[in-house]
Amino acid sequence: MRAPAALLDPEWPAPRAAGGTLWAALAATLARFDDRPTVAQLNEAARAMGLTNAQGMALRFERQDSGMSQRQYEQQIYDHGIVATRDQSWHDLFNACVWLTFGATKAALNAVHVRQPIGLSRTPASDAATLFDESGAVLIGPDPRLAQSLADHDWHRAFVQYRHLWQTHHLLVLGHAIFEKLATLQTPYPGMIAKVAYLPWPALGSPVTGPPQGLDQALATNWLNQTYPRPANLFAVPILGVPGAHPDNRKPHYYENTEVFRPKRVKGPVSQA
């Protein structure tokens, strides 16, 4: 059940002041607002962007004052274009900001949930969509060796040997639960995990201040085409290991903590779409 949330502590400038590579995807969206946006301001931005749900209905954010099931929440978005938003909830605020940044992807994730059979509380497809919605990220760049190393938990290769690739490859966070943790935790913990999809993409330099043109639609198409039908199609990455995410990871021994950077027993190919 989605119950009304309690007020959290950080001020609005905190996410932008934090900077760093993990905020790159939301940078342009956060810069639209001088202060913590109200529901009215979020709706003004959504209207200006022509934001819609998967059925082409205009999307709007409405204050949620009572609990609802996950199915009711998703169905309301799909049937009416209404995103229930709890007052003073950082979780829901960052959810809205991701809608303003990856609108097509969010609409596709919603469609994945709604097309699951009524009566089944969980399916592999809905589990994958939930993981990506809450804690997802997309790795973009032209060299699949980086994605394969991450999927294989070959952390030394991914973060040390291939460190130069991170100058043109980027992990763009979409999961609003990750943004909530980054904003509200005094010290983000090393074991914070993103569930990652890899999309081959032309090399991009830094800084990246939002998704490159076409990425949102490409990612949405993958979800609608069932490219990620189960959680195993996404690979886990400890996000503080990404170059630029934490100053300590400049030293190779940072990746020797096997409680965070765990080995993987079985290797398999990475989905590329």
Side-chain angles (χ1 to χ4, degrees), residues 18-19 27-28 30 48 61 76 106 128 154 184 187 197 210-211 217 223 239 261 268:
L30 298 180
F61 304 97
Q76 182 173 254
K106 292 286 282 186
D154 191 343
T184 61
T187 303
Q217 190 57 57
W223 279 102
I239 58 174
F261 300 97

Side-chain angles (χ1 to χ4, degrees), residues 63-140:
R63 180 174 174 174
Q64 178 190 342
D65 294 314
S66 59
M68 63 173 59
S69 70
Q70 188 66 24
R71 181 73 188 205
Q72 289 172 323
Y73 170 79
E74 299 291 351
Q75 199 74 48
Q76 182 173 254
I77 296 173
Y78 189 80
D79 290 342
H80 305 291
I82 298 173
V83 181
T85 303
R86 294 169 293 190
D87 191 32
Q88 299 185 348
S89 162
W90 284 98
H91 188 86
D92 288 8
L93 174 58
F94 287 124
N95 180 53
C97 288
V98 177
W99 268 104
L100 296 175
T101 308
F102 287 95
T105 300
K106 292 286 282 186
L109 291 168
N110 171 245
V112 170
H113 283 295
V114 171
R115 71 188 179 193
Q116 303 311 304
I118 295 176
L120 290 180
S121 58
R122 302 175 69 118
T123 67
S126 65
D127 282 349
T130 296
L131 283 171
F132 196 75
D133 191 30
E134 295 282 338
S135 301
V138 56
L139 176 69
I140 57 172

Side-chain angles (χ1 to χ4, degrees), residues 5-52:
L7 176 65
L8 299 177
D9 293 329
E11 299 294 331
W12 175 247
R16 287 183 290 167
T21 187
L22 300 180
W23 290 97
L26 282 195
T29 297
L30 298 180
R32 295 175 67 108
F33 307 106
D34 294 328
D35 202 347
R36 178 178 177 145
T38 63
V39 169
Q41 289 173 313
L42 293 171
N43 281 326
E44 182 180 352
R47 285 192 298 271
M49 298 173 62
L51 206 61
T52 66

Side-chain angles (χ1 to χ4, degrees), residues 119-186:
L120 290 180
S121 58
R122 302 175 69 118
T123 67
S126 65
D127 282 349
T130 296
L131 283 171
F132 196 75
D133 191 30
E134 295 282 338
S135 301
V138 56
L139 176 69
I140 57 172
D143 195 331
R145 294 178 301 169
L146 181 57
Q148 191 64 60
S149 297
L150 292 167
D152 290 342
H153 292 201
D154 191 343
W155 308 118
H156 185 274
R157 184 182 298 272
F159 291 125
V160 180
Q161 182 178 340
Y162 288 161
R163 200 170 186 87
H164 63 285
L165 292 178
W166 289 95
Q167 298 174 21
T168 54
H169 295 62
H170 303 276
L171 188 79
L172 300 180
V173 175
L174 290 81
H176 53 282
I178 291 180
F179 291 123
E180 179 189 19
K181 292 174 184 176
L182 291 173
T184 61
L185 293 177
Q186 185 173 4

